[in-house]
Amino acid sequence: MAGKMTGAQMVVQALKDQGVDTVFGYPGGAVLPIYDEIFQQNEIRHILVRHEQGATHAAEGYARSTGKPGVVLVTSGPGATNAVTGMTDALMDSIPIIVLTGQVPTFMIGNDAFQEADTVGITRPCTKHNWLVKDTDRLAETIHQAFHVATHGRPGPVLVDIPKDVQFATGRYVAPAKASTGHYNPQVKGDIDAITAAVEALENAERPVIYSGGGVVNSGPAASQLLRELVSATNFPVTSTLMGLGCYPASGANWLGMLGMHGTYEANWAMHDCDYMLCIGARFDDRITGRVDAFSPQSVKVHIDIDPSSINKNIHVDIPIVGDIGHVLEDLLRVWKARGRKTRSEAVAKWWAKIEEWRAVKSLSYVNSDSTIKPQYALQRLEALTKGRDRYITTEVGQHQMWAAQFLGFEDPNRWMTSGGLGTMGYGMPASIGVQVAHPDALVINVAGEASWLMNMQEMGTAVQYRLPVKQFIVNNERLGMVRQWQELLHGERYSHSWSESLPDFVKLAEAFGAKGILCDNPADLDDAIQEMLDYDGPVIFDCVVEKHENCFPMIPSGKAHNEMLLGSASTKGAIDVGGAVLV
Amino acid sequence: MNALAIKKGSSRKSAYDLRNPLDEHQETHTLTVLVDNEAGVLARVIGLFSGRGYNIDSLTVAEVDHQGHRSRITIVTTGTPAVIEQIKHQLERMVPVYSVNDLTVEGPSVERELALVKVNCTGEKRVEAMRTGEVFRANVVDSTLESFVFELTGGPEKIDAFVALMVPLGLVEVSRTGVAAIARGV
Ligand SMILES: Cc1cc2nc3c(=O)[nH]c(=O)nc-3n(C[C@H](O)[C@H](O)[C@H](O)COP(=O)(O)OP(=O)(O)OC[C@H]3O[C@@H](n4cnc5c(N)ncnc54)[C@H](O)[C@@H]3O)c2cc1C
Ligand SMILES: Cc1ncc(C[n+]2csc(CCOP(=O)(O)OP(=O)(O)O)c2C)c(N)n1
């Protein structure tokens, strides 16, 4: 469809032409013309959230679980500012979302008009790029460009701010194929000399480790497939960051578990002692490196990343390869095969023997109890009772998030949605909505802490309205558990404001929303209660009352190296020194 | 190449590096950045520097291609080598940026700045200011019986030197454009 239309019509047409089937939004004065157009069509489904932050996280959940960008539509002023946290979250975790905001009419901009905010100014640092469209003739092209920027190179959030007069005025619509996408076209093919150098180092590796991350998910299913092929062909051990879980299956023979601050003993020791580190789409985050001057001191480091600014940011690497993982791994495997598929297999076998010793430490073990539900046990039972199902997990932020990462096994990418970089409490509930909208028949569970869950619990209304059978599995320790743990280790057990007082009765709360509530506080009843949750065809709030003062281990204290990991409660007193205490 | 023999190291930008960053040596680089001259582009570049804690010693900007709406930004910045590398990559990944060139490492270049320098003086000092102006090839663009405004172009050091000489002669005001720079040769 070409020719003249109103700006509001263009918005809807551009979304259709971009293949959008769902928009998460909330109306207001400055977007009424667009809502009017949405009302008059049936191709795009609009999900009415209860808070604009919810819309952004729902769009993130949609995007992360499908590989397609998520779309948000909100009004000017407070609608836009409420969306800021979600955009920052998406920026940190490289999630493609397109946020469309209404703005006061162009002739009122700068006048402190009703519900005016400098949206492009406020969101400049929390978007990959943003645009204020002042001319209806430029609107369609700008929206197409926004989709291009959000989904090419390192994905991220973008925002298009559309004044109300631009929505009313008519102009010429430009279809995606005819729209200029500008000059933003990041390189996807890796430099073949660098790839060859990486292969050469791989062939010589005696103590290799593959450190994979969220970039593998970003790159798409082919990248995960190639990663699996590389691991099985070389027999190298593989670990992943929080963001990359599922790219290599947790049931795979070479899986070391997650690495980093709350990663496994074997993963972190392998990172520390390796002589060859192949980093695939991870960004050497401080949760991973610990103290950087003690990070993996003996290894040759290869880093594959599409964003040159991720390379050498925290850790100096020896062989940087800028490109898309799918493309680079394909070339890397081809070069390695052409050179005769060489590895130092005997040395690697010895290295595996060493790794098995570390594995034997069983760093995820915990002391179970007959009388109270241990949070780890709750996650283990959840895993056991949902394994093999078409399952998607979202989380909130805190200890429960780490236990979920440790005790749930992910067999495929796009099945694990969590706020890693920003660590946004309140992410998981709306994210589960976005995931369920995208996968109506799948099992979608939000593993939550009670404190985080309260931050966006209004979205239960959305779940009920749209009959989204999301399961809210609240690991309720009546504490801001992760904060409490740090206060125990760092601040002399002075638990300043780190408990959840006056909690709602979650069962009654569920009923008030028109959902089902389940309470369980006895380990003996847990399996039946979880089964009841799974069998219920509709949204559930599951109040899993757990041990209040459980700590999450293993843990590498701030400012320490991988080989200074804490394994359990015995060794925690004074574990974080003054230098580490200033860190986060 | 024996990759296994390569030297290891780490950058010092991470909060998790407990070493003192002041120990490391700082370099000054002149970067030129070609950008789309769209609304907010300068705010983006400046926001990048302030948001990530980089230094701006000098910054100039003007549209250089009116048809293509491209502007050229010249930035003089100081940082450790790792930080300078980060700055370049951070600039390159910005959507409106076409190219980033580091004139400090890419061979010889010319750097020029324009300054307007107002000096209030009479008698002996007036003669001395006039003479110094001639030595520096400064133009007098305004004069009254008690003042001069000099216009001076040159590298930042030349302008610093001129301004320093004007202080005892009655310097009252300086306006500088910041550095514009270009590579020498073809
Ligand atoms: C309470 C808490 C505790 C945490 N503890 C841990 C922990 O113990 N362990 C842990 O791992 N994390 C932990 N995290 C998460 C951590 O903060 C980071 O979010 C995470 O480690 C970053 O993952 P990543 O390195 O895979 O990078 P991501 O943020 O996923 O970044 C992806 C990288 O891949 C690149 N990329 C994107 N697309 C492509 C492509 N197509 N081709 C090539 N490259 C691409 C990007 O440029 C980027 O550099 C924790 C978070 C919280 C909130
Ligand atoms: C929006 C926001 N505010 C504050 C924090 C700091 N914070 C991190 S974890 C945490 C406690 C979370 O408590 P809960 O959701 O109950 O999970 P638990 O750690 O007990 O499993 C807090 C306050 C945060 N990550 N996000």
Side-chain angles (χ1 to χ4, degrees):
Chain A
M1 222 172 105
K4 292 275 182 189
M5 28 173 124
T6 67
Q9 287 169 332
M10 280 187 196
V11 170
V12 172
Q13 188 61 44
L15 294 180
K16 286 181 189 168
D17 287 351
Q18 288 289 342
V20 173
D21 52 23
T22 309
V23 171
F24 301 93
Y26 206 86
V31 280
L32 284 178
I34 300 173
Y35 271 85
D36 206 19
E37 292 303 325
I38 287 181
F39 187 80
Q40 300 177 45
Q41 55 83 49
N42 288 317
E43 281 167 66
I44 294 176
R45 186 176 187 205
H46 179 275
I47 303 289
L48 178 70
V49 294
R50 299 298 186 264
H51 185 295
E52 290 85 352
Q53 184 187 354
T56 52
H57 295 320
E60 286 187 272
Y62 178 96
R64 191 66 166 182
S65 66
T66 60
K68 296 197 294 183
V71 181
V72 174
L73 173 62
V74 298
T75 192
S76 66
T81 55
N82 273 351
V84 165
T85 301
M87 284 186 269
T88 312
D89 192 89
L91 186 74
M92 291 292 272
D93 285 345
S94 304
I95 311 291
I97 62 171
I98 287 100
V99 180
L100 306 174
T101 49
Q103 181 55 280
V104 302
T106 46
F107 51 85
M108 291 175 83
I109 289 177
N111 248 350
D112 297 330
F114 177 65
Q115 296 200 323
E116 178 180 358
D118 175 8
T119 301
V120 286
I122 290 169
T123 61
R124 214 173 267 132
C126 66
T127 51
K128 187 173 167 186
H129 198 66
N130 62 14
W131 296 262
L132 168 65
V133 183
K134 288 185 169 168
D135 174 0
T136 307
D137 278 329
R138 298 272 308 123
L139 180 56
E141 187 162 78
T142 306
I143 294 175
H144 298 317
Q145 201 177 344
F147 274 85
H148 175 81
V149 169
T151 53
H152 285 71
R154 180 179 184 166
V158 296
L159 178 141
V160 184
D161 199 22
I162 314 172
K164 199 171 180 182
D165 56 333
V166 173
Q167 300 171 33
F168 273 125
T170 49
R172 188 158 291 283
Y173 181 76
V174 184
K178 296 235 173 75
S180 151
T181 49
H183 52 90
Y184 182 76
N185 270 314
Q187 160 187 355
V188 292
K189 287 288 268 184
D191 174 56
I192 201 70
D193 291 338
I195 292 174
T196 309
V199 168
E200 222 172 279
L202 180 156
E203 291 164 349
N204 289 320
E206 301 191 337
R207 301 187 308 281
V209 69
I210 294 176
Y211 153 42
S212 65
V216 184
V217 186
N218 289 133
S219 180
S224 291
Q225 221 36 61
L226 289 161
L227 171 69
R228 291 163 190 221
E229 187 186 338
L230 177 71
V231 171
S232 73
T234 56
N235 190 31
F236 284 3
V238 55
T239 176
S240 165
T241 66
L242 184 74
M243 297 308 292
L245 296 177
C247 291
Y248 183 81
S251 61
N254 296 42
W255 178 236
L256 301 181
M258 181 175 83
L259 82 163
M261 183 174 268
H262 294 290
T264 66
Y265 193 73
E266 53 272 34
N268 284 321
W269 271 90
M271 289 287 283
H272 186 268
D273 278 10
C274 66
D275 71 349
Y276 176 78
M277 180 187 296
L278 178 56
C279 169
I280 308 180
R283 56 185 172 82
F284 295 93
D285 183 78
D286 51 55
R287 300 297 88 165
I288 302 307
T289 59
R291 209 173 96 210
V292 295
D293 51 349
F295 177 74
S296 193
Q298 305 151 43
S299 59
V300 172
K301 299 176 185 73
V302 181
H303 186 182
I304 307 172
D305 203 296
I306 202 158
D307 180 356
S309 79
S310 281
I311 291 173
N312 290 337
K313 179 158 62 184
N314 300 324
I315 296 292
H316 176 81
V317 297
D318 308 294
I319 306 175
I321 305 173
V322 176
D324 167 61
I325 290 161
H327 288 81
V328 173
L329 281 188
E330 201 178 329
D331 285 343
L332 188 139
L333 274 161
R334 192 170 41 72
V335 170
W336 178 67
K337 285 174 189 164
R339 288 166 55 102
R341 297 170 158 268
K342 283 176 291 204
T343 58
R344 297 258 172 102
S345 52
E346 266 171 46
V348 173
K350 261 206 229 148
W351 174 231
W352 269 113
K354 185 79 209 164
I355 289 172
E356 291 309 331
E357 284 173 28
W358 291 323
R359 216 200 277 277
V361 169
K362 295 198 188 309
S363 59
L364 297 181
S365 53
Y366 62 95
V367 183
N368 210 349
S369 154
D370 292 337
S371 50
T372 48
I373 301 177
K374 286 295 186 101
Q376 301 94 325
Y377 179 70
L379 269 309
Q380 270 179 330
R381 295 319 301 158
L382 187 68
E383 164 75 359
L385 295 167
T386 60
K387 214 178 171 62
R389 293 191 49 168
D390 185 20
R391 179 187 82 180
Y392 293 79
I393 303 286
T394 68
T395 76
E396 303 288 347
V397 169
Q399 292 178 316
H400 63 278
Q401 178 189 25
M402 294 298 111
W403 283 316
Q406 292 172 340
F407 290 96
L408 302 180
F410 297 94
E411 296 298 309
D412 290 297
N414 306 97
R415 297 300 176 124
W416 164 246
M417 273 55 57
T418 196
S419 170
L422 197 63
T424 310
M425 293 171 69
Y427 164 88
M429 163 74 236
S432 70
I433 293 209
V435 175
Q436 189 82 71
V437 166
H439 309 275
D441 301 324
L443 171 63
V444 180
I445 304 173
N446 174 32
V447 175
E450 79 294 339
S452 297
W453 194 81
L454 289 178
M455 285 205 177
N456 270 324
M457 67 166 209
Q458 76 284 350
E459 300 304 334
M460 266 320 273
T462 313
V464 173
Q465 178 184 348
Y466 295 96
R467 296 198 167 80
L468 303 168
V470 290
K471 313 300 182 209
Q472 305 300 318
F473 190 77
I474 301 178
V475 182
N476 183 356
N477 54 11
E478 297 173 20
R479 298 291 181 276
L480 281 57
M482 189 58 97
V483 170
R484 193 209 55 75
Q485 176 168 349
W486 279 58
Q487 288 173 336
E488 179 182 334
L489 299 183
L490 243 130
H491 293 277
E493 300 176 55
R494 289 180 296 281
Y495 297 128
S496 182
H497 301 275
S498 56
W499 66 95
S500 297
E501 192 74 66
S502 308
L503 282 171
D505 176 331
F506 285 106
V507 174
K508 281 194 188 150
L509 184 67
E511 285 160 5
F513 272 113
K516 183 181 177 64
I518 299 173
L519 177 118
C520 183
D521 56 6
N522 182 352
D525 302 336
L526 185 59
D527 277 20
D528 287 347
I530 291 177
Q531 199 54 52
E532 188 187 350
M533 169 182 90
L534 298 174
D535 292 342
Y536 183 72
D537 182 19
V540 176
I541 302 176
F542 189 111
D543 183 6
C544 187
V545 179
V546 299
E547 166 69 47
K548 300 186 195 320
H549 279 200
E550 191 74 12
N551 281 334
C552 182
F553 290 113
M555 177 177 182
I556 302 175
S558 322
K560 299 276 180 176
H562 280 163
N563 57 356
E564 297 172 281
M565 173 178 251
L566 304 179
L567 284 172
S569 353
S571 54
T572 58
K573 286 266 153 56
I576 301 180
D577 51 31
V578 206
V582 302
L583 304 173
V584 288
Chain B
M1 178 188 96
N2 179 4
L4 290 168
I6 298 170
K7 267 260 168 273
K8 325 288 166 334
S10 59
S11 102
R12 302 193 176 183
K13 231 347 226 185
S14 169
Y16 271 61
D17 192 325
L18 302 177
R19 292 171 295 181
N20 182 359
L22 298 175
D23 291 349
E24 215 181 356
H25 109 107
Q26 308 263 321
E27 292 176 356
T28 297
H29 285 235
T30 303
L31 311 177
T32 63
V33 189
L34 201 60
V35 297
D36 281 322
N37 186 15
E38 59 178 37
V41 67
L42 191 58
R44 268 177 226 288
V45 171
I46 292 172
L48 168 70
F49 277 74
S50 63
R52 293 187 183 263
Y54 305 143
N55 301 309
I56 299 180
D57 299 342
S58 151
L59 184 143
T60 63
V61 57
E63 191 169 85
V64 291
D65 171 359
H66 298 304
Q67 248 128 46
H69 298 293
R70 293 187 193 188
S71 291
R72 183 169 162 124
I73 304 177
T74 308
I75 307 170
V76 182
T77 181
T78 304
T80 63
V83 167
I84 302 277
E85 186 189 321
Q86 262 296 303
I87 291 174
K88 290 190 261 182
H89 289 321
Q90 292 289 352
L91 286 168
E92 272 163 1
R93 75 206 274 258
M94 296 177 76
V95 173
V97 169
Y98 284 89
S99 59
V100 178
N101 288 84
D102 184 345
L103 296 185
T104 306
V105 300
E106 288 174 13
S109 61
V110 196
E111 290 188 3
R112 288 292 180 271
E113 200 181 342
L114 185 141
L116 297 172
V117 182
K118 186 180 282 182
V119 189
N120 288 1
C121 49
T122 51
E124 248 330 281
K125 289 191 172 170
R126 193 172 165 81
V127 178
E128 183 55 28
M130 197 61 199
R131 196 177 302 135
T132 313
E134 276 163 24
V135 172
F136 278 79
R137 276 182 256 148
N139 295 325
V140 176
V141 292
D142 179 69
S143 82
T144 68
L145 289 176
E146 290 102 37
S147 71
F148 286 122
V149 174
F150 290 105
E151 174 206 292
L152 178 69
T153 30
E157 303 77 20
K158 174 176 164 186
I159 291 170
D160 288 345
F162 183 74
V163 169
L165 287 172
M166 287 301 125
V167 171
L169 301 179
L171 179 82
V172 287
E173 215 177 322
V174 184
S175 174
R176 296 170 70 151
T177 57
V179 171
I182 203 161
R184 288 181 191 271
V186 280

